[in-house]
Amino acid sequence: MKCILVKREDAESIRRELISLNLLDNEYGPAAALEGIYFPVRDKFKDFKLVEVSLKKRTPRVFSLEESLRDKLTPEELEYVVKSFDVIGDIAIIEIPKELVKKEKLIANSLLMVHRNIRSVYKKLGPMEGVYRTRKLKFLAGEKRTVTEYKENGCRFRLDVAKVYFTPRLSFERKRIAEQVKPGENILALFAGVGPFPVVIAKMQSHVKIHAVELNPHAFRHMQENIRLNRMQEMITPILGDVKDVIPKKFVNSADRILMPLPKGAEKFLGEAFLAAKRNGIIHFYQFASEKNPFEDVEKLVISEARLSGRKAEVIGKRIVRPFAPGVVQVVVDFRVR
Ligand SMILES: C[S@@+](CC[C@H](N)C(=O)[O-])C[C@H]1O[C@@H](n2cnc3c(N)ncnc32)[C@H](O)[C@@H]1O
């Protein structure tokens, strides 16, 4: 590599001059030596002697996943990959379609290289399933661990992505609910997971009492840990158990607000929710629904279940929370119980 040797004290000004004359060869980095700094040059510069030095090639800096994979994937594959991963703390969880399986390690390594905050990459092996709503994962690259710490709405959450349900895609929804809470409310956070709804509510409204019910012992233990981590022991009481058993035993006619974030199956627990709701209490009820007609069936369901429980439900809000699958969205219907 052609270089010029420059005294240390002149190095910065000469570097600038070389750049302005387009003579600095950026493919290689300069090298420091006892006698001065060697700059790689494209051509002769003033009366500096040209010397041959072997220099290291710079590794080109990659700024985005698109850039790093552009020459390895088709534009369609690339568009898919860019949209198909979630980052929870420092763990990326990516969806790899069958056609891209051969390139999964390459994609995972690119994620690690581009996103310095990502330390581990796992691939989804299927949908969320079972009562605990967890999914199987396959390790692809980085550190082989599934416990991480995630930050949201000024709160910290420790969780094991392989053993509990968690999605960062509900962060706006958690904030939306927390903003509606009034001081003094008694809240029942059902299907509480590792505690994101109760912890975000308690962060934004400190004069509340929240009971958070969860069936998965791993999620329950993380919820206990997260309550401590965010210093919310005074406000949140975690309960390990089944909503079907816990409500009739402890919470009849007790709640001003009830959260039901179990979009696949919450309808089976509406009877318990009506049992727990005080008059004028509010229920936030989550469901999966068709994108074409997202609210009609959910509203009908809520109203008829209320009637069966001898109550009345008045819908006071509804929104699409997030797209879930092609043609399917997650919705929330907020209703007041009379
Ligand atoms: C979709 S996840 C939601 C978790 C949490 N609210 C969140 O947003 O991350 C539903 C949770 O309900 C829990 N669950 C399912 N059936 C339950 C039941 N009968 N009683 C209590 N918890 C239950 C699951 O273990 C899971 O953690």
Side-chain angles (χ1 to χ4, degrees):
M1 182 68 237
K2 270 184 295 182
C3 291
I4 56 170
L5 175 64
V6 175
K7 284 190 207 147
R8 275 171 190 272
E9 57 271 30
D10 300 335
E12 187 48 31
S13 64
I14 290 192
R15 189 182 71 86
R16 284 170 203 253
E17 223 179 320
L18 288 170
I19 292 173
S20 70
L21 294 168
N22 196 24
L23 281 178
L24 189 68
D25 188 341
N26 274 321
E27 267 193 61
Y28 298 84
L34 274 179
E35 58 278 21
I37 309 277
Y38 286 98
F39 280 117
V41 286
R42 294 187 217 281
D43 213 337
K44 225 178 141 18
F45 172 64
K46 296 186 175 166
D47 28 349
F48 281 87
K49 205 171 133 201
L50 289 179
V51 285
E52 265 313 308
V53 180
S54 93
L55 295 179
K56 259 201 196 154
K57 236 184 172 175
R58 285 183 199 269
T59 15
R61 244 193 109 183
V62 178
F63 294 101
S64 70
L65 196 58
E66 286 98 319
E67 269 181 285
S68 80
L69 291 169
R70 191 164 289 147
D71 52 347
K72 293 161 191 127
L73 303 183
T74 66
E76 295 75 37
E77 290 172 342
L78 193 55
E79 198 189 328
Y80 179 85
V81 167
V82 168
K83 287 188 195 145
S84 69
F85 69 94
D86 273 331
V87 180
I88 304 180
D90 59 2
I91 299 179
I93 299 179
I94 185 156
E95 210 165 316
I96 304 272
K98 270 198 255 92
E99 313 80 68
L100 278 179
V101 164
K102 284 199 178 130
K103 295 180 182 165
E104 65 186 26
K105 292 268 178 195
L106 175 88
I107 294 168
N109 283 313
S110 295
L111 267 174
L112 286 177
M113 189 173 70
V114 172
H115 296 279
R116 298 291 164 138
N117 55 325
I118 296 176
R119 292 289 167 82
S120 315
V121 183
Y122 284 82
K123 160 183 153 173
K124 296 178 185 175
L125 285 182
M128 294 288 186
E129 58 190 8
V131 182
Y132 298 161
R133 313 305 300 148
T134 51
R135 68 155 46 96
K136 290 193 182 72
L137 299 171
K138 177 185 167 189
F139 172 73
L140 288 185
E143 295 171 22
K144 201 167 186 177
R145 65 170 158 82
T146 50
V147 175
T148 188
E149 185 173 316
Y150 162 85
K151 294 196 179 80
E152 173 194 301
N153 291 310
C155 308
R156 294 163 65 194
F157 299 97
R158 279 187 56 84
L159 62 115
D160 187 329
V161 293
K163 292 188 178 148
V164 304
Y165 174 94
F166 188 81
T167 176
R169 296 184 188 220
L170 292 178
S171 65
F172 176 80
E173 179 60 14
R174 299 190 257 266
K175 186 162 171 276
R176 183 188 80 91
I177 299 288
E179 282 169 350
Q180 294 178 26
V181 170
K182 312 256 177 339
E185 281 190 8
N186 272 314
I187 299 172
L188 261 178
L190 307 180
F191 318 112
V194 302
F197 275 97
V199 169
V200 172
I201 291 174
K203 177 84 181 179
M204 291 176 70
Q205 179 52 267
S206 51
H207 298 291
V208 286
K209 277 263 168 262
I210 307 175
H211 288 91
V213 188
E214 172 55 48
L215 189 61
N216 174 354
H218 297 290
F220 172 77
R221 274 194 291 279
H222 280 301
M223 172 157 55
Q224 286 180 309
E225 187 183 7
N226 293 330
I227 292 169
R228 276 196 304 274
L229 208 57
N230 293 281
R231 299 195 186 86
M232 286 163 179
Q233 296 93 320
E234 296 275 297
M235 287 161 276
I236 307 172
T237 309
I239 297 167
L240 174 63
D242 188 327
V243 166
K244 284 258 175 232
D245 303 328
V246 174
I247 299 280
K249 278 188 200 143
K250 291 190 173 168
F251 294 105
V252 175
N253 193 24
S254 69
D256 299 298
R257 189 178 296 274
I258 302 174
L259 277 52
M260 303 186 73
L262 181 68
K264 201 171 175 201
E267 66 282 359
K268 293 183 220 119
F269 300 85
L270 271 170
E272 283 70 27
F274 286 118
L275 196 62
K278 286 185 191 166
R279 190 173 157 73
N280 291 326
I282 290 170
I283 299 183
H284 303 284
F285 179 67
Y286 295 81
Q287 286 280 278
F288 292 129
S290 113
E291 191 180 16
K292 286 204 182 113
N293 189 7
F295 301 112
E296 194 181 327
D297 287 350
V298 185
E299 287 183 58
K300 275 189 193 154
L301 176 74
V302 161
I303 288 164
S304 78
E305 285 290 322
R307 212 171 286 136
L308 283 177
S309 296
R311 311 288 296 262
K312 262 192 176 164
E314 177 203 342
V315 175
I316 55 171
K318 52 189 161 183
R319 67 179 283 265
I320 292 177
V321 177
R322 58 171 177 148
F324 180 71
V328 182
V329 288
Q330 181 176 349
V331 298
V332 58
V333 171
D334 306 329
F335 58 95
R336 197 180 293 284
V337 182
R338 307 277 189 203

